[in-house]
Amino acid sequence: QVQLVESGGGLVRPGESLRLSCQASTAISRTDPMGWYRQTPGKPRILVASVTDYHNGVSRKYAEFAQGRFTVGRDRGDARSTVYLQMNGLRDEDTAVYYCWTRSAGTEYWGLGAQVTVSS
């Protein structure tokens, strides 16, 4: 069983930046993906970004709306894995609940979510 805890959500103005972090309760294999989804009321949860380490390099995937503005990465912790999402140039439409996610040993795990509100 893996617990994921997000931090860093909040209220920002358009154009500002925010960094989300997520700490797992245990180490996640480098070859298992970690990342972020987001959800707004009445809509399905969608992928924002994910990161996976392979023997020959790191693979990062981004939703089209995140490309060029968001950066996903993971820290090389030994005991507990951490994934972050650096969000720059935030827009009103980025307002959502952001969920940390991983697929560890074939099982998906989710955090409880962090609210991000972008408003002037």
Side-chain angles (χ1 to χ4, degrees):
Q1 192 76 3
V2 176
Q3 282 82 46
L4 302 172
V5 179
E6 301 99 338
S7 61
L11 171 64
V12 296
R13 298 180 186 275
E16 293 185 341
S17 299
L18 202 62
R19 182 181 175 103
L20 300 178
S21 293
C22 170
Q23 186 174 63
S25 58
T26 185
I28 305 296
S29 171
R30 306 299 299 177
T31 57
D32 285 336
M34 296 187 75
W36 298 89
Y37 281 69
R38 75 184 190 186
Q39 188 172 26
T40 54
K43 295 190 176 180
R45 200 171 292 187
I46 59 174
L47 176 69
V48 177
S50 68
V51 56
T52 309
D53 282 354
Y54 296 102
H55 296 299
N56 60 349
V58 177
S59 173
R60 294 182 175 86
K61 296 182 180 180
Y62 293 97
E64 186 173 346
F65 62 78
Q67 290 178 356
R69 298 190 299 132
F70 296 1
T71 302
V72 64
R74 58 195 292 179
D75 294 332
R76 296 181 179 276
D78 293 328
R80 297 184 180 186
S81 297
T82 301
V83 63
Y84 66 86
L85 184 68
Q86 177 67 40
M87 302 184 289
N88 299 326
L90 284 163
R91 305 166 180 166
D92 291 349
E93 55 264 36
D94 294 319
T95 295
V97 177
Y98 286 72
Y99 294 91
C100 182
W101 164 86
T102 187
R103 185 173 61 245
S104 177
T107 301
E108 290 191 322
Y109 299 93
W110 299 89
L112 295 179
Q115 177 68 48
V116 172
T117 302
V118 185
S119 176
S120 56

